[in-house]
Amino acid sequence: MPMFRRILIANRGEIALRVIRTAQEMGIETVAVYSDADRAALHVRRATHAVHLGGSKPSESYLDIGKIVAAAKRTGCDALHPGYGFLSENEDLAQACKDAGIEFLGPPPHAITVMGDKVEARKAAAKAGVPLVPGLQEDVDAARLVAAAKQVGYPVMLKAAAGGGGKGIRIVREEKQLVEAFELARAEARSSFGDERIYLEKFVTRPRHVEIQVMADKHGNVVHYGERECSVQRRHQKLVEESPCVALTPELRAQMGKAACDLARSVGYVGAGTVEFLWSEGRFYFMEMNTRLQVEHPVTEMRYGVDLVREQIRVGAGEKLSPVPEPRGHAIEVRVNAEDPDKFFPSLGTLTRINLPGGPGVRLDSAMYRGMEVTPYYDSMLAKLVVHGADRDQAIARCARALRELRIVGVVTSLPVALATLRAPAFAAGDYDTSILESIDRKPTAQHEELAMLAAAAARFLGAERAGAAVESAGAARASAPRWAMVGRADRLRRTGP
Amino acid sequence: MPMFRRILIANRGEIALRVIRTAQEMGIETVAVYSDADRAALHVRRATHAVHLGGSKPSESYLDIGKIVAAAKRTGCDALHPGYGFLSENEDLAQACKDAGIEFLGPPPHAITVMGDKVEARKAAAKAGVPLVPGLQEDVDAARLVAAAKQVGYPVMLKAAAGGGGKGIRIVREEKQLVEAFELARAEARSSFGDERIYLEKFVTRPRHVEIQVMADKHGNVVHYGERECSVQRRHQKLVEESPCVALTPELRAQMGKAACDLARSVGYVGAGTVEFLWSEGRFYFMEMNTRLQVEHPVTEMRYGVDLVREQIRVGAGEKLSPVPEPRGHAIEVRVNAEDPDKFFPSLGTLTRINLPGGPGVRLDSAMYRGMEVTPYYDSMLAKLVVHGADRDQAIARCARALRELRIVGVVTSLPVALATLRAPAFAAGDYDTSILESIDRKPTAQHEELAMLAAAAARFLGAERAGAAVESAGAARASAPRWAMVGRADRLRRTGP
Amino acid sequence: MKYTTKLGGVEREFVIERHGDALQARCGDKTFALDLRLVGDGSAFSLLVDGRSYDVVADIGREEVALQMLGQRFVVHVEDERERAAHAVAGNKVGGKQELRAAMPGIVIDVKVAVGDAVEEGKTLVVLEAMKMQNPLAAEAPGKVTRILCKKGEAVAAGALLLEME
Amino acid sequence: MKYTTKLGGVEREFVIERHGDALQARCGDKTFALDLRLVGDGSAFSLLVDGRSYDVVADIGREEVALQMLGQRFVVHVEDERERAAHAVAGNKVGGKQELRAAMPGIVIDVKVAVGDAVEEGKTLVVLEAMKMQNPLAAEAPGKVTRILCKKGEAVAAGALLLEME
């Protein structure tokens, strides 16, 4: 099968740009699709072709399978890359591509379907010999629960099958509370979700989120590129990712890698995928498989010197997997979101100034540009900063250095949270779990606060001097005063009156 | 010896920033020095301290040893990094630092002195067993010339000892022309330079400029990090550098590495240095040794995953060299200069827009920022773009991709020359020498020219529409019209009248 | 000029004066030599304090200066002496009205209070969905809900008044 | 509006018209569907030509538009129909005056011609040192040197008139 001539990218933002970059390096043309809000977006400007889809709401553009496949056909694309999010794990798009004779750069529809269903995915994992959190899922009654809890050991968790996002979970610490807790949980689940199914799982203490990057070709080869540690999360959204994970031994890494490859092989996987595990006290348990490229894939690219999008395209075109290079050093990624660093509240606005970091070991993946509007239609990630160092200490220091170089004006960003994480003793020691963000102290020192107050007074002084100068020199003022005097954003509940 | 507490950086621009970045990552404070023109420069803003030196002319600031050493003492620095250019190869600064008890992050004064003198450097190289271009340098007379020329083989070059920059060179192809040419050359040298000394060298055909990066500690260890190929030059200024050099065999690479280390060892070298060689027809010849960090050192850093500035600081503090990692893939650096791409004529102005490249395998070292003025006081390099790829083809494609992403408005840059070089068949084949830039065709295709004409008409149309809209909406116009309507730069001889 | 700055419950007064090219700041009995230089278009400046260098990005509002420096973001309340005098005259009223406004366009997912409710500081008043996330909007100070101007399921524009408290 | 563009000795006429949101360009018997959108502050725009995407940075002068696109830099001479008509009236004179000006501050290293010299196109007139480099300033067209306003060793300001030719 010859290499593709033209790829449609069914996505936007930095991931669309990411795919365009690799395609361009491979000499493959790209078709960007865009919504009303994205006409001037970087992915549109950097692609070789662009097709307008529709309104700014995702349902009118990036989620419309019919429009996307029609655009791919009309522009003569022979492949389609779904990116992440939007339709990337939608088996209907994969099927529609197949029907249209367009290569979907992801796994076959069947693999998406299996991994998209929690119950099916668990079954597949069990069948492939991948460890699951021990517990009782089926034919649950009080007697079976008591037996199961005794077997896995207390504490245990009772979870509502229809729950999610932390809702409908109850922790039980002793056998004598179990049956009563089960009855209560069942009643609660019935009233909250209209579904009284409850299952039991071992309570995993201090869990870490550790995932394995896999890649499979159409010739039955499956490889993995080690792990990524993604435990720094807020509201189940990853904020800082690193590789390697300090908690893994070489033996455990090999076991997890093998488990991930076995699972991929068992569902006839093709392309890039990620198997997510919970790690706790030296053991690992299957969580789920993401059947697409992850946001944090550059962490792996930096460590292995590999281009995962290139591999996706190559295996999609029927080529065999390239050999996996030896990993080197340590890599860290930080996601920079347009959000209030205290309340993780999205922040909208126009980017009026962007200072990008540079120098050794620094990579930035971003589709932001000066003048860009951050709108409410899409997710709030502005950039991914990825660094590489010879070891973990150097990577952390480098990441902090680069984060200090990165300045974004126009919206409030999560940068200070990331910096505080890198400075936190628990992070530096590598001794952390998915709750780390809750415990990080972000209060500035009194000395820094005094400096900030001095700087604020100085800024006002300078502004006043310039305003004075502006009266004298109208020309100079016109060029600079509006920006300088721009009124600050008001993202908070304001107090009016005195 | 403990690690340094504070380093003064006796330089400006991207190299000062480069050193600040690594120092920051190592937890070491930095003192920037600056001239009048550089008060708002990035190296001043990113350092922990800043000291004003004097006027914008280098002689009043960056070349004033007295002021610089005084600043280092006053701010309590225990080390000084000279960068490249300015005083980086000045033995008096090295000595002044020594006298003041400040560690000079470079070789001892003696090594600088020896390598700074062409005759002494040649002698040192010969003594260390490093191959020199064969010829006759001393006690030159007609009879000895004829004998020497016979020995090295024709063609040969006659060079005026006082010449330079390509002046005073004469190529002789046959023995019967030699004596007459010698008499002519001697007469010419006498009248041109007031110095009739002439020497003979073998004519090196299709030379490539290949250099070896070395590093030495204070414990007698010397290592090298392979080679950089720097043959893409204009006016003896490097424009594109790569590593590895396609022309080297593993044996030759090992020989050159050993020769470079032997030379460094023979002069008691400490820190980072580069030994430059001419390569021709499978053989290599010593050119000179640069006793400092080179502009193009990131090429080596990308391939080896090493931070050379960190190693400089570590060995300066008395630590032993780190092990040299295995090199990986291929790296290319492009220097982006503020200069007319046709005439290599410097271009001055204010940078009004900068779009930086990003994504996998891309590094940018630059001290430019939006609003920066490019002044005539310092050299014209704006940025170094460095890319890494799994192999040479990928590195070339990636470099071209990143160069297309990089946009600088406000001055004219050498970007198009670099892109044309990457596209040139001779470069792609790796079959080039130091004359490559002379032969590269940079004429755009007729199709691209038509597109440019269409785009220019469209830009004018858009400008006119906006001007119309501006009358209707004065507010919008104030924000954007001045920039849009900004009159183009006039760097050229203008024709007035009709 | 004298500036009164407030940050995190701390208040500091700075007197800044120009002496030719040099600037001096005083705060209590401490004196600082300042060197200030605008960078590019003016939303950023380089600040040297006794030779220490700070790279500052500033967003200057009427009452607040939002700063990015030292790897952090600070929102400092600043008044110069004239503004302070004006506020002193207008002040001395007790209490105050709180307004809850939508910082961005979004959809009201839930209204957690009713008119007349007494609420604590930090109590969630309204949940707004924007950018794929649900955002709880909380009370900044204790008070009593006096008006509710939005309802569940409603799409609201940026800046829309959602609720008032006293 | 009709635009006459010149680049590298080639001249092309484009007629650009707006039909609602859509733009159309005609050049001879070829027609292009255009979609133009300013980006950010307006020195850049996104251009779609029949669905092909071009990321263009433009520096628009009175007579010339300097473009960065396709990895190259183009300086295109553009006249709209009004300007062309105006020039046609003013034109028809023969020859013209050439002025050599310093594009940047520098030091005159050498003056290579004398008043009255007839020079070829490309002949170096003055050598100016700036940014550590010597820059030969050459004649853009053949002519005769009529005035020399600088001398060897002199420091000159940006824009200074160095020499005139006819």
Side-chain angles (χ1 to χ4, degrees):
Chain A
M1 191 170 176
M3 188 41 70
F4 305 116
R5 194 174 77 88
R6 193 175 289 165
I7 299 176
L8 183 134
I9 297 145
N11 217 302
R12 63 178 301 282
E14 70 87 20
I15 191 60
L17 194 56
R18 170 72 192 83
V19 177
I20 289 169
R21 282 171 165 155
T22 287
Q24 196 178 326
E25 291 172 15
M26 295 176 79
I28 300 171
E29 294 198 341
T30 46
V31 178
V33 292
Y34 62 94
S35 69
D36 288 344
D38 281 344
R39 168 61 187 90
L42 219 46
H43 77 283
V44 173
R45 289 188 271 147
R46 295 273 174 80
T48 47
H49 298 71
V51 176
H52 179 237
L53 288 181
S56 299
K57 282 187 198 157
S59 59
E60 296 169 7
S61 44
Y62 302 110
L63 289 176
D64 189 323
I65 295 180
K67 283 182 181 172
I68 287 170
V69 174
K73 283 190 199 168
R74 200 169 65 246
T75 53
C77 287
D78 41 10
L80 181 148
H81 195 297
Y84 55 69
F86 293 123
L87 297 168
S88 60
E89 294 179 287
N90 184 302
E91 62 265 36
D92 295 339
L93 175 61
Q95 189 61 49
C97 285
K98 205 170 178 176
D99 296 344
I102 293 165
E103 181 73 23
F104 177 78
L105 295 173
H110 168 72
I112 300 177
T113 307
V114 171
M115 290 302 162
D117 182 306
K118 289 208 171 192
V119 176
E120 291 299 312
R122 253 185 96 89
K123 280 187 195 163
K127 217 169 128 190
V130 181
L132 299 167
V133 177
L136 181 69
Q137 275 75 33
E138 286 166 53
D139 306 325
V140 175
D141 61 32
R144 284 172 51 82
L145 266 186
V146 170
K150 187 169 276 167
Q151 205 189 335
V152 305
Y154 288 89
V156 296
M157 285 191 296
L158 295 176
K159 292 184 173 179
K167 285 177 199 158
I169 294 181
R170 196 171 273 262
I171 297 173
V172 181
R173 305 192 176 274
E174 295 173 293
E175 181 168 326
K176 63 181 175 191
Q177 301 167 345
L178 184 62
V179 176
E180 189 189 339
F182 170 57
E183 299 300 344
L184 280 171
R186 196 152 60 163
E188 222 173 67
R190 195 165 40 228
S191 73
S192 294
F193 311 116
D195 177 346
E196 64 168 25
R197 283 180 304 148
I198 294 290
Y199 63 95
L200 177 140
E201 259 185 10
K202 181 178 167 61
F203 178 75
V204 176
T205 52
R206 300 204 59 201
R208 304 175 82 122
H209 174 127
V210 182
E211 61 190 29
I212 300 284
Q213 174 70 53
V214 300
M215 184 76 71
D217 65 20
K218 294 178 177 175
H219 306 276
N221 303 302
V222 185
V223 296
H224 73 88
Y225 301 84
E227 81 280 14
R228 292 183 294 256
E229 148 86 72
C230 312
S231 300
V232 181
Q233 305 184 350
R234 53 117 186 82
R235 294 182 178 187
H236 300 281
Q237 296 249 352
K238 299 164 188 168
L239 196 69
V240 179
E241 298 105 346
E242 61 174 322
S243 180
C245 164
V246 298
L248 297 199
T249 59
E251 294 72 35
L252 202 61
R253 179 172 295 119
Q255 284 170 32
M256 291 172 75
K258 181 176 180 305
C261 290
D262 287 348
L263 178 60
R265 206 175 278 113
S266 77
V267 294
Y269 205 83
V270 173
T274 297
V275 182
E276 298 192 331
F277 296 101
L278 275 184
W279 176 98
S280 172
E281 297 176 18
R283 304 179 74 91
F284 66 96
Y285 310 101
F286 173 74
M287 260 200 307
E288 61 181 50
M289 180 167 189
N290 292 316
T291 57
R292 52 163 166 85
L293 200 67
Q294 301 272 83
V295 175
E296 62 272 23
H297 75 277
V299 171
T300 302
E301 294 186 325
M302 293 286 268
R303 254 191 98 215
Y304 282 79
V306 72
D307 181 337
L308 292 172
V309 174
R310 188 186 186 95
E311 289 300 305
Q312 283 189 301
I313 294 173
R314 287 183 62 256
V315 303
E319 295 188 13
K320 288 192 177 172
L321 284 171
S322 309
V324 178
E326 277 300 303
R328 180 156 86 185
H330 199 96
I332 300 178
E333 174 182 284
V334 165
R335 303 189 191 189
V336 181
N337 299 317
E339 62 187 20
D340 182 281
D342 294 311
K343 299 169 188 167
F344 300 123
F345 186 112
S347 170
L348 306 186
T350 301
L351 306 184
T352 55
R353 170 183 282 267
I354 300 171
N355 297 358
L356 298 185
V362 173
R363 165 177 172 181
L364 196 87
D365 276 44
S366 173
M368 67 181 168
Y369 58 92
R370 187 163 58 93
M372 187 179 90
E373 254 189 84
V374 180
T375 68
Y377 301 113
Y378 312 113
D379 86 36
S380 62
M381 195 175 74
L382 293 176
K384 304 186 306 200
L385 172 70
V386 201
V387 302
H388 185 267
D391 55 33
R392 188 167 187 266
D393 287 345
Q394 192 186 14
I396 292 175
R398 184 162 279 173
C399 194
R401 186 269 292 171
L403 278 174
R404 281 164 162 265
E405 294 180 3
L406 177 56
R407 300 283 174 94
I408 298 168
V409 180
V411 296
V412 181
T413 75
S414 58
L415 267 174
V417 186
L419 258 172
T421 305
L422 296 173
R423 272 197 305 262
F427 187 84
D431 180 26
Y432 65 99
D433 56 52
T434 52
S435 72
I436 181 170
L437 275 191
E438 295 158 22
S439 60
I440 286 178
D441 177 23
R442 297 206 295 102
K443 175 133 183 56
T445 63
Q447 193 203 356
H448 281 185
E449 288 192 331
E450 300 243 337
L451 273 165
M453 287 191 270
L454 173 55
R460 265 300 190 77
F461 181 85
L462 197 58
E465 278 204 342
R466 279 172 68 83
V471 175
E472 291 165 39
S473 154
R478 211 178 316 127
S480 53
R483 207 179 288 278
W484 179 251
M486 189 175 59
V487 173
R489 288 179 45 71
D491 263 356
R492 290 151 308 110
L493 175 59
R494 274 195 187 280
R495 213 157 190 176
T496 58
Chain B
M1 190 170 177
M3 187 41 69
F4 305 115
R5 194 175 75 90
R6 193 176 288 166
I7 299 176
L8 183 135
I9 298 145
N11 218 302
R12 63 178 300 283
E14 71 87 20
I15 191 61
L17 194 57
R18 170 72 192 81
V19 176
I20 288 169
R21 282 171 165 155
T22 287
Q24 197 178 328
E25 289 171 17
M26 296 176 78
I28 301 171
E29 295 198 341
T30 47
V31 177
V33 292
Y34 63 94
S35 69
D36 287 344
D38 280 344
R39 168 61 186 89
L42 219 47
H43 76 283
V44 173
R45 289 187 272 148
R46 295 274 175 80
T48 47
H49 298 71
V51 176
H52 178 236
L53 289 181
S56 300
K57 283 187 197 157
S59 59
E60 296 168 6
S61 45
Y62 302 110
L63 289 176
D64 190 323
I65 295 180
K67 283 181 181 172
I68 287 170
V69 174
K73 283 190 202 169
R74 199 169 65 245
T75 52
C77 287
D78 42 11
L80 180 148
H81 195 298
Y84 55 69
F86 294 124
L87 296 168
S88 60
E89 294 180 287
N90 184 303
E91 61 265 39
D92 296 338
L93 175 62
Q95 189 60 50
C97 285
K98 204 169 180 176
D99 297 344
I102 293 165
E103 181 73 25
F104 177 79
L105 295 173
H110 168 72
I112 301 178
T113 307
V114 170
M115 290 304 162
D117 181 309
K118 289 209 169 191
V119 176
E120 290 300 313
R122 251 185 97 88
K123 279 186 195 165
K127 218 168 131 190
V130 181
L132 298 166
V133 177
L136 181 69
Q137 274 75 32
E138 286 167 51
D139 306 325
V140 176
D141 64 29
R144 284 171 51 83
L145 267 186
V146 170
K150 187 169 276 165
Q151 207 189 331
V152 305
Y154 288 88
V156 296
M157 285 192 296
L158 295 175
K159 291 185 172 179
K167 286 177 200 158
I169 294 180
R170 197 171 273 260
I171 298 172
V172 181
R173 304 193 176 273
E174 294 173 294
E175 180 167 328
K176 64 181 176 190
Q177 301 166 346
L178 182 62
V179 175
E180 192 189 336
F182 171 56
E183 298 302 342
L184 281 171
R186 194 151 64 162
E188 225 172 66
R190 195 164 42 227
S191 72
S192 295
F193 310 115
D195 177 348
E196 64 169 25
R197 284 180 305 149
I198 295 291
Y199 64 94
L200 178 140
E201 258 184 10
K202 181 178 169 61
F203 178 76
V204 176
T205 53
R206 302 204 57 201
R208 304 175 83 122
H209 175 128
V210 183
E211 61 190 28
I212 300 285
Q213 174 70 53
V214 300
M215 184 78 73
D217 66 19
K218 294 177 176 175
H219 306 275
N221 302 304
V222 185
V223 297
H224 73 88
Y225 301 84
E227 80 280 12
R228 293 184 292 257
E229 150 85 73
C230 311
S231 301
V232 181
Q233 306 183 348
R234 54 120 184 79
R235 293 181 178 188
H236 299 282
Q237 296 248 353
K238 300 163 188 169
L239 196 68
V240 179
E241 298 105 346
E242 62 174 322
S243 181
C245 164
V246 297
L248 298 198
T249 59
E251 294 73 33
L252 202 61
R253 180 173 293 121
Q255 284 170 33
M256 290 172 76
K258 181 176 180 304
C261 290
D262 287 348
L263 178 59
R265 207 174 278 113
S266 76
V267 293
Y269 204 84
V270 172
T274 297
V275 183
E276 298 192 332
F277 296 101
L278 275 184
W279 177 96
S280 172
E281 297 176 18
R283 303 178 75 89
F284 67 94
Y285 310 101
F286 173 74
M287 259 199 310
E288 62 181 49
M289 179 168 190
N290 293 316
T291 56
R292 52 163 167 85
L293 201 67
Q294 301 273 82
V295 174
E296 62 272 22
H297 75 276
V299 172
T300 302
E301 294 186 323
M302 293 286 268
R303 255 192 98 214
Y304 282 78
V306 71
D307 181 338
L308 292 173
V309 174
R310 189 185 185 96
E311 288 301 305
Q312 283 189 300
I313 293 173
R314 288 183 62 257
V315 303
E319 294 188 14
K320 287 191 177 172
L321 285 171
S322 308
V324 177
E326 276 300 303
R328 180 155 86 185
H330 199 97
I332 300 178
E333 173 182 286
V334 165
R335 305 189 191 189
V336 181
N337 301 314
E339 62 187 20
D340 182 282
D342 294 310
K343 299 170 188 166
F344 300 123
F345 184 114
S347 171
L348 307 185
T350 301
L351 305 185
T352 55
R353 170 182 281 268
I354 300 171
N355 297 359
L356 297 185
V362 173
R363 164 176 173 182
L364 197 88
D365 276 45
S366 174
M368 68 181 168
Y369 58 92
R370 187 164 59 93
M372 186 180 90
E373 255 188 83
V374 180
T375 68
Y377 300 113
Y378 312 114
D379 86 35
S380 61
M381 195 174 75
L382 293 176
K384 304 186 307 201
L385 171 70
V386 201
V387 302
H388 185 267
D391 55 32
R392 189 167 186 266
D393 287 347
Q394 193 187 12
I396 292 174
R398 184 161 279 173
C399 194
R401 185 271 290 172
L403 278 174
R404 279 162 162 265
E405 293 180 3
L406 177 57
R407 299 284 174 92
I408 299 168
V409 181
V411 297
V412 181
T413 75
S414 58
L415 268 174
V417 186
L419 258 171
T421 304
L422 296 173
R423 272 196 306 262
F427 187 83
D431 180 25
Y432 65 97
D433 56 54
T434 52
S435 72
I436 182 172
L437 275 191
E438 295 158 23
S439 61
I440 286 177
D441 178 22
R442 296 206 293 104
K443 176 133 183 53
T445 63
Q447 194 205 354
H448 281 184
E449 289 193 328
E450 300 241 337
L451 273 165
M453 287 190 273
L454 172 56
R460 265 299 191 77
F461 180 85
L462 197 57
E465 277 203 342
R466 279 173 68 83
V471 174
E472 291 165 37
S473 155
R478 210 179 317 125
S480 54
R483 211 178 286 277
W484 178 253
M486 190 175 59
V487 173
R489 289 180 43 73
D491 261 357
R492 291 152 306 111
L493 175 60
R494 273 195 186 281
R495 210 152 193 180
T496 58
Chain C
M1 180 62 88
K2 191 194 285 181
Y3 296 91
T4 307
T5 62
K6 284 182 210 159
L7 178 60
V10 177
E11 184 172 309
R12 287 282 179 277
E13 257 184 20
F14 294 94
V15 178
I16 302 185
E17 280 163 1
R18 179 175 286 285
H19 305 287
D21 267 2
L23 288 176
Q24 201 194 52
R26 274 182 294 120
C27 178
D29 52 3
K30 282 186 279 187
T31 307
F32 309 96
L34 299 190
D35 186 336
L36 268 167
R37 185 70 65 100
L38 278 172
V39 173
D41 64 4
S43 64
F45 60 93
S46 169
L47 168 65
L48 303 183
V49 182
D50 295 333
R52 279 221 164 232
S53 176
Y54 303 94
D55 193 18
V56 184
V57 169
D59 206 349
I60 302 191
R62 241 175 329 165
E63 295 178 345
E64 288 177 344
V65 177
L67 299 167
Q68 288 182 53
M69 61 186 291
L70 299 161
Q72 285 154 307
R73 182 169 182 271
F74 302 93
V75 180
V76 183
H77 188 276
V78 187
E79 281 176 342
D80 65 25
E81 49 201 314
R82 280 175 299 218
E83 292 161 346
R84 194 163 172 78
H87 282 162
V89 172
N92 293 331
K93 279 190 223 158
V94 191
K97 205 168 74 175
Q98 283 188 58
E99 291 181 344
L100 181 68
R101 288 181 182 276
M104 64 201 70
I107 291 163
V108 176
I109 293 298
D110 206 352
V111 179
K112 297 282 199 182
V113 289
V115 170
D117 284 7
V119 298
E120 301 283 286
E121 181 185 335
K123 159 80 181 164
T124 297
L125 305 171
V126 172
V127 181
L128 193 69
E129 184 173 283
M131 296 178 93
K132 300 197 326 188
M133 282 169 71
Q134 296 198 1
N135 307 289
L137 306 181
E140 251 202 358
K144 195 171 157 186
V145 177
T146 50
R147 281 177 79 196
I148 294 179
L149 298 101
C150 62
K151 59 173 189 279
K152 201 170 157 172
E154 185 186 359
V156 294
L161 184 60
L162 304 177
L163 184 147
E164 285 181 1
M165 286 172 56
E166 257 180 16
Chain D
M1 181 61 88
K2 190 194 287 180
Y3 296 91
T4 307
T5 62
K6 283 181 212 161
L7 177 61
V10 177
E11 186 172 308
R12 286 281 181 278
E13 257 183 20
F14 293 95
V15 178
I16 303 186
E17 280 162 1
R18 180 174 285 285
H19 305 288
D21 267 2
L23 289 177
Q24 199 193 54
R26 274 181 293 118
C27 177
D29 52 3
K30 283 187 279 188
T31 307
F32 309 96
L34 299 190
D35 186 337
L36 268 167
R37 184 70 65 100
L38 277 173
V39 172
D41 65 5
S43 64
F45 60 94
S46 170
L47 169 65
L48 303 183
V49 182
D50 295 334
R52 280 222 164 232
S53 176
Y54 303 95
D55 192 18
V56 183
V57 170
D59 205 350
I60 302 190
R62 241 177 328 166
E63 296 178 344
E64 288 176 342
V65 176
L67 300 167
Q68 289 181 54
M69 62 187 289
L70 299 159
Q72 285 154 307
R73 183 171 181 271
F74 302 93
V75 180
V76 183
H77 188 275
V78 187
E79 281 176 341
D80 66 24
E81 49 201 315
R82 280 174 298 218
E83 291 161 346
R84 194 166 172 78
H87 282 162
V89 172
N92 293 332
K93 279 191 223 160
V94 193
K97 207 167 75 174
Q98 283 189 59
E99 290 180 346
L100 182 68
R101 289 181 182 275
M104 64 201 69
I107 290 162
V108 175
I109 294 296
D110 206 352
V111 180
K112 296 284 201 180
V113 289
V115 169
D117 283 6
V119 298
E120 302 283 287
E121 182 185 334
K123 158 78 181 165
T124 297
L125 305 172
V126 172
V127 180
L128 193 70
E129 186 174 281
M131 296 176 94
K132 300 197 327 190
M133 283 170 68
Q134 296 197 358
N135 308 289
L137 307 181
E140 250 201 359
K144 194 171 156 185
V145 177
T146 51
R147 278 176 80 194
I148 294 180
L149 298 102
C150 63
K151 59 174 190 279
K152 199 170 155 171
E154 187 186 358
V156 294
L161 184 60
L162 304 177
L163 183 148
E164 286 181 0
M165 285 172 55
E166 260 181 13

